[in-house]
Amino acid sequence: MTSTRDLNRSEYRALAELRYRIRRFLRFSEAAARDAGLEPQHHQLLLAVKGMPDDRRASIGDLAERLQLKPNSTDELVRRVEGRGLVTTERGAEDRRQIIVSLTADGEEALRELSVAHLEELRGEARALAEGLDRLIRRRA
Amino acid sequence: MTSTRDLNRSEYRALAELRYRIRRFLRFSEAAARDAGLEPQHHQLLLAVKGMPDDRRASIGDLAERLQLKPNSTDELVRRVEGRGLVTTERGAEDRRQIIVSLTADGEEALRELSVAHLEELRGEARALAEGLDRLIRRRA
DNA sequence: TCCGTAAATATCGTAACACGACATAAGACC
DNA sequence: GGTCTTATGTCGTGTTACGATATTTACGGA
């Protein structure tokens, strides 16, 4: 069941360019996290906890969805970060199967410093990324 | 050297939302690659070779930049993909230190099928990603 | 209430992969 | 033709995400 049409050169190039920009964006963010003394994944976890929609409290399962990881991987990540004192965990009050993850004061501070210090530069990368997206989306929409 | 200003709730949320959309985008793409029988990284390598700017021929170093990997990691990736018969390598004609990577017919076909089959759906994800970016960029630009 | 089933999290072994450190080979320049 | 730089290649290591599976708690019906 092979499709009959090909992609042309510029379409491939637009796809490749988009991926390049995404990778640059992620690379920048990872370097920023490491400069702040955080593992990139740890940073992402803190951000996911803090940025939960509707002020919803973050369970392992919620975080797995936001981080697009499997629940067991998320569990492991949470433990690693808990080991560094950046988050705490507690059993859910209504559903005692759940684990609710919260930021510690150290976690809040680490996330704040990192976000503040790099937000402007991040916006620059984001802008380049947005251009790449536009190029892809607008082509033969 | 701590910055004096905080981020507000909606800024954290915009950052978290953006990362979520990027992860969804990448997840979708990875799943598509696996459905087509390709490792996600292999797909990325094929695309990077095919989408080289200015029809430039792809050396290991060029690909390392496009993939945002270290040259040695890129070398290893190229070998893995070469082992599957999707690319070939040859010494550079002018500079014999270089390795030039090209797609085989199988590589071309794998990339084409994957790109064609999923380009439309990819655009949907790309659109969601673009929205997340807009939200981040426009805030207090 | 008791039981079966489902959902949420936890454990463990495995594999992929990127990297740092170092090695080799080819060009560049004097 | 010696030295410095660049491009690639090798090897050992560490992180991490995952599949398979176990455990704990919820839930719905008889």
Side-chain angles (χ1 to χ4, degrees), chain B residues 74-92:
Chain B
T74 306
D75 180 273
E76 291 166 350
L77 176 58
V78 166
R79 282 163 193 288
R80 288 195 291 271
V81 178
E82 187 176 25
R84 301 209 180 182
L86 302 177
V87 299
T88 56
T89 61
E90 55 178 319
R91 286 275 160 194

Side-chain angles (χ1 to χ4, degrees), chain B residues 93-116:
Chain B
E94 335 88 58
D95 187 339
R96 295 195 52 75
R97 288 172 304 180
Q98 288 189 63
I99 293 289
I100 304 300
V101 182
S102 312
L103 299 183
T104 63
D106 281 358
E108 284 271 3
E109 177 60 13
L111 178 61
R112 193 186 67 76
E113 281 195 34
L114 181 54
S115 300
V116 168

Side-chain angles (χ1 to χ4, degrees), chain A residues 27 59-61 71-72 75-76 79 97-99:
Chain A
R27 277 308 230 201
S59 71
I60 296 285
N72 59 348
D75 180 272
E76 292 165 350
R79 282 164 192 287
R97 288 173 304 182
Q98 291 190 104
I99 293 289

Side-chain angles (χ1 to χ4, degrees), chain A residues 7-138:
Chain A
L7 274 68
N8 62 37
R9 194 108 196 121
S10 74
E11 286 173 313
Y12 279 121
R13 212 161 315 175
L15 281 169
E17 190 71 19
L18 174 62
R19 300 309 287 251
Y20 176 54
R21 298 195 186 204
I22 290 175
R23 282 186 288 261
R24 298 253 311 181
F25 178 89
L26 295 177
R27 277 308 230 201
F28 167 79
S29 176
E30 288 165 15
R34 290 211 168 85
D35 286 349
L38 280 178
E39 288 300 310
Q41 293 305 317
H42 299 185
H43 171 211
Q44 291 311 301
L45 176 63
L46 299 183
L47 183 58
V49 171
K50 181 77 173 186
M52 211 63 185
D54 305 324
D55 294 319
R56 180 171 173 170
R57 305 216 302 152
S59 71
I60 296 285
D62 292 333
L63 292 170
E65 161 61 17
R66 295 296 283 179
L67 296 170
Q68 292 282 295
L69 294 177
K70 302 296 175 190
N72 59 348
S73 306
T74 306
D75 180 272
E76 292 165 350
L77 175 59
V78 167
R79 282 164 192 287
R80 289 196 292 271
V81 178
E82 188 176 25
R84 302 209 180 182
L86 302 177
V87 300
T88 56
T89 62
E90 55 179 319
R91 287 273 159 196
E94 334 88 59
D95 186 339
R96 296 195 51 74
R97 288 173 304 182
Q98 291 190 104
I99 293 289
I100 303 300
V101 181
S102 311
L103 299 184
T104 63
D106 280 358
E108 285 271 4
E109 177 60 14
L111 179 60
R112 192 186 68 76
E113 280 195 35
L114 181 54
S115 300
V116 168
H118 297 278
L119 190 56
E120 291 312 319
E121 208 166 342
L122 199 82
R123 283 207 175 90
E125 291 289 336
R127 228 175 282 274
L129 180 50
E131 284 172 25
L133 272 170
D134 276 355
R135 212 165 297 162
L136 181 66
I137 290 173
R138 293 202 178 128

Side-chain angles (χ1 to χ4, degrees), chain B residues 4-100:
Chain B
T4 52
R5 69 172 292 281
D6 280 2
L7 273 68
N8 62 37
R9 194 109 194 121
S10 73
E11 285 173 314
Y12 280 121
R13 213 160 315 177
L15 280 169
E17 191 71 18
L18 174 62
R19 299 311 286 252
Y20 176 53
R21 298 195 185 206
I22 290 175
R23 282 186 289 261
R24 297 253 311 182
F25 178 89
L26 296 177
R27 276 309 230 202
F28 166 79
S29 175
E30 289 166 16
R34 290 210 168 87
D35 285 351
L38 279 179
E39 288 300 311
Q41 283 75 10
H42 299 187
H43 170 211
Q44 291 310 301
L45 175 63
L46 299 183
L47 182 57
V49 170
K50 181 76 172 186
M52 211 64 185
D54 305 324
D55 295 318
R56 181 171 173 171
R57 306 216 302 154
S59 71
I60 296 285
D62 292 333
L63 292 170
E65 161 61 17
R66 295 296 283 180
L67 296 170
Q68 292 282 295
L69 294 176
K70 302 296 174 188
N72 57 350
S73 305
T74 306
D75 180 273
E76 291 166 350
L77 176 58
V78 166
R79 282 163 193 288
R80 288 195 291 271
V81 178
E82 187 176 25
R84 301 209 180 182
L86 302 177
V87 299
T88 56
T89 61
E90 55 178 319
R91 286 275 160 194
E94 335 88 58
D95 187 339
R96 295 195 52 75
R97 288 172 304 180
Q98 288 189 63
I99 293 289
I100 304 300

